[in-house]
Amino acid sequence: MKYDPDSGLHVPTWHDTAEQRMKLLAELGLAMNPDAEFDRFAARISGTFAAELGEHGQNLYAMVNLFTEQEQTFVGLHIPPGMRAVDRTMRPDHGFCPEMLDRTKALVLSDVCANPHFASNPVVDKLGVRTYAGAPLVHEPTGTVLGTVCVIGTDPLPRETGQTSLALIKRHRDALMDALAQRADTSGRHSPGDRSG
């Protein structure tokens, strides 16, 4: 665990939760490979943001991201037409999804550069990420974060889009957790994730 001076608490790190997370992913039958169903889900996320946010929601990447032992894996990925390609994996210290290991609430950053903590993340310079909305996939019985659903963009969004973005990413998180629960129900071993955040 690491000490968080802001909260005064010791919070779990990537490695503290890896064993439990990998066990749960295996029990849910989630492979760490690109999945056409998750790719379609990611495309729907991006399409919904475009429809709801209008001109501000265009050209957003979307991901279904699972946290594996040593990295993030985008098992679902939507790259907007004409936008630069991104890899299916990312280091655990890159991007904003790892923030979900410390918090089990959704996170919306209309402009990542407005906060020094987020502005210094390597993806800002490496990929040109300027906006982010993500929500954690939480295994309710254990509180383990399995991964996230998220969108990223290369242009900041107006602050007034924040509440809509939050509602949209939580809606897609809920839909994905329902799909995972239906899959798990066939084995009778799991239940949907926590939807409090």
Side-chain angles (χ1 to χ4, degrees), residues 24-101:
L24 290 169
L25 290 171
E27 289 177 358
L28 286 166
L30 295 173
M32 301 305 115
N33 303 312
D35 185 298
E37 181 180 352
F38 290 142
D39 283 348
R40 289 190 293 271
F41 189 86
R44 286 196 298 274
I45 297 174
S46 182
T48 303
F49 269 77
E52 295 286 336
L53 299 182
E55 64 176 316
H56 300 301
Q58 305 301 310
N59 297 320
L60 293 177
Y61 296 78
M63 292 94 165
V64 175
N65 182 14
L66 298 180
F67 298 159
T68 58
E69 291 183 280
Q70 301 289 341
E71 63 188 6
Q72 305 171 67
T73 299
F74 304 133
V75 295
L77 175 63
H78 171 73
I79 300 172
M83 301 295 282
R84 67 181 283 187
V86 296
D87 293 333
R88 287 270 186 172
T89 60
M90 186 178 288
R91 288 178 41 165
D93 58 340
H94 285 199
F96 308 107
C97 287
E99 294 284 333
M100 302 303 169
L101 290 173

Side-chain angles (χ1 to χ4, degrees), residues 83-165:
M83 301 295 282
R84 67 181 283 187
V86 296
D87 293 333
R88 287 270 186 172
T89 60
M90 186 178 288
R91 288 178 41 165
D93 58 340
H94 285 199
F96 308 107
C97 287
E99 294 284 333
M100 302 303 169
L101 290 173
D102 296 344
R103 51 181 286 147
T104 55
K105 305 282 185 193
L107 174 66
V108 173
L109 302 169
S110 298
D111 182 356
V112 301
C113 292
N115 183 312
H117 173 70
F118 298 113
S120 62
N121 193 282
V123 297
V124 175
D125 291 330
K126 185 177 179 183
L127 300 177
V129 176
R130 289 295 304 275
T131 192
Y132 171 89
L137 305 174
V138 182
H139 179 256
E140 187 176 64
T142 64
T144 301
V145 178
L146 304 175
T148 63
V149 290
C150 71
V151 295
I152 61 171
T154 56
D155 294 307
L157 292 178
R159 289 185 64 184
E160 60 266 23
T161 64
Q163 287 302 313
T164 301
S165 295

